[in-house]
Amino acid sequence: MQAIDTVLRDAIPLKPREAIQLAALKAQATMGDCNRTSAMTTMIASLKQRDQTVADIVQHYSQFRGMPSLQAKFLYLQILQTNHFYGAALFRAEYQGFWTFGQDVWIAVSCDGIEFAEADNREAFMVFTFEELAHHEAGADGRLELSFSRQSLQQPGEQLDNTEIYAFATPQALEVAALIVEYDPAKGRRGYRPQFADLDAGVCARDVEKQRAILLEKGVMRVPGPSATEAMLLSQEAKTTRGSLILKAKRRGSHGFSWMGGVGGISGIPGLESMASSRSSISRADKAPTEYGEADWTYSQSKLVTSLSVDEAAARLEEFGSYANTVIWRFAHADFRSKASHPVDFAPQIQDVLASCLAQGSQAGELYLQLVKLTTAHPNPAGQEFANLWKLMSIACGAVVPESQEIASYVRAHLRKCIAYSKKDSNDVAGRCAKYCLRTFMKTAASEKRRYPPSTEEIIFAS
């Protein structure tokens, strides 16, 4: 499976000669015979500064003329199987030390062991077996430390243990550590330190406060906060025509409604017919409190009528915030244990929200801000609602990350805090789910942005 995954993602580091030959074969398998002077040049127009490389690819491509597509694919795989890193998981990392050829390297993890390769020439310069791996540790901050123990002969019959320690920085540190355990489960029994054991609750709590301050300083959050906004709207209720402010809903059977290209829906849902508001009633020009209190950051049963964040460049962010909040509450209130509800009933609405997040990064940030708020200081952490909120968080972490670095840092800080505060309770829902969400979040951030929202099967699996 690892070999198939690296082939499908074109993730195997290749030498220039191998890359040229494989590029020509892939062109033959994909396009077949075509005008090599026009179509081929168009396909690799991005390589304008590499004229010789283009010429070499075209030359190889012309040699494959007449070859059936299936045969070209077969030869493509045959060449890949001869590659030194075929079947290995490769991770780009920066060595936190000094090597003469530079600090950028590839870390290859396979069933045979662990290898370090130069980033430029893809040559492996260090090879270790799992038996030589004495200790490994990964941090949520991207820190990866690998310790190897090797025996060397000093004199006949005398052996000396040499310990080599290598420290790296990579956004996929947790993934590397998890893969090592998968290949060599014994590492979990030989004094392996848990990946999150070094998280201090006090430090994590202060980090969350720091990230909140940054969000306010950068103007990411809508001020006043939701609690003050709700009070404003209640005071204006007598002056507001309620019917004219209810957002329209597009029905999908008895359960659904659609984002409808930016217009959310909340009417007709028992317990969720919150007051909606126009942009003018919650703008910063209104006379309202400018502070953002603790109640604005933590769980509240009140339904949002606008977005938590503000982005002048993002169209209809306020309407999306209201719609996303409705979807979140509907999913949170579902009773999956009694089988009265099933995740498949909510898949269309979740896909609507995530598709919009993939299209506009600011909406992804809004979704995460709401999920973090609702999983902070929840009054019933053992209840079904709390578990459902974490399920929705895990679905989001596997699909999209915020384009705002400030929001992404806040999400990571929140997840680390949940892990740190639950270390002593192995049955804690927040701790177990936060570990999974943090690993998935970092993996999604390091991967290529997906084009489509999660499938129904993915949503069911995560639920």
Side-chain angles (χ1 to χ4, degrees), residues 344-389:
V344 72
D345 300 330
F346 305 90
Q349 297 126 37
I350 295 174
Q351 289 167 339
D352 278 345
V353 170
L354 293 177
S356 190
C357 291
L358 289 169
Q360 295 193 34
S362 60
Q363 294 181 358
E366 173 64 26
L367 175 64
Y368 274 105
L369 287 174
Q370 293 193 24
L371 290 172
V372 170
K373 174 180 172 64
L374 292 174
T375 53
T376 300
H378 195 281
N380 185 17
Q384 179 67 39
E385 178 186 290
F386 189 59
N388 288 348
L389 288 170

Side-chain angles (χ1 to χ4, degrees), residues 225-239:
S227 59
T229 300
E230 181 185 6
M232 289 169 48
L233 294 178
L234 289 174
S235 66
Q236 296 175 0
E237 184 177 7
K239 303 177 182 180

